[in-house]
Amino acid sequence: MDERQTHRQHPPPLGAFKLLSAQMELGDKAVGFLLTLTSISIFTYYTFWVIILPFVDSDHFVHKYFLPQEYAILIPVLAGVVLLSFLSVFVGLVMLKSKKKKKSN
């Protein structure tokens, strides 16, 4: 026998892999479902707020469930600015760390 054949590593038992895979898959599906449900809820709320609500009488009871119309623009703009700020800081930190590693080598 060849030396490579005698020291061959055996793969893990398939039963353990399938069990672990099934548990991870179930968790991933639950997180995916919650994220999808949250996204659809936010989209529906925002769409109703921005597109439909301006055509509803201002004394209608449904207006008490929504913020004033000015916030329909302000909130997404602020969220975008915060997201871009964090992204810029992250990219800057990665660039600085990469530059330090090159100097030390």
Side-chain angles (χ1 to χ4, degrees):
M1 271 193 168
D2 181 53
E3 186 177 315
R4 286 178 286 173
Q5 290 177 343
T6 58
H7 296 293
R8 194 181 311 171
Q9 293 181 353
H10 296 289
L14 286 178
F17 178 72
K18 285 182 180 180
L19 179 63
L20 181 62
S21 175
Q23 288 174 348
M24 288 174 48
E25 189 174 305
L26 183 62
D28 290 344
K29 283 183 180 181
V31 170
F33 177 75
L34 287 174
L35 287 174
T36 303
L37 188 66
T38 303
S39 298
I40 290 172
S41 300
I42 290 171
F43 177 77
T44 304
Y45 180 87
Y46 188 79
T47 301
F48 189 81
W49 181 25
V50 172
I51 296 176
I52 297 172
L53 202 61
F55 298 107
V56 177
D57 292 334
S58 59
D59 59 343
H60 197 272
F61 76 93
V62 78
H63 279 277
K64 69 180 178 180
Y65 297 110
F66 295 91
L67 292 171
Q69 206 68 26
E70 297 83 30
Y71 291 106
I73 301 298
L74 187 64
I75 291 173
V77 167
L78 287 176
V81 167
V82 168
L83 179 69
L84 285 175
S85 299
F86 280 124
L87 184 63
S88 299
V89 167
F90 175 74
V91 169
L93 289 174
V94 168
M95 289 172 64
L96 287 174
K97 284 183 181 181
S98 141
K99 194 174 184 179
K100 286 180 183 178
K101 283 185 182 179
K102 285 183 182 179
K103 282 185 180 180
S104 67
N105 288 335

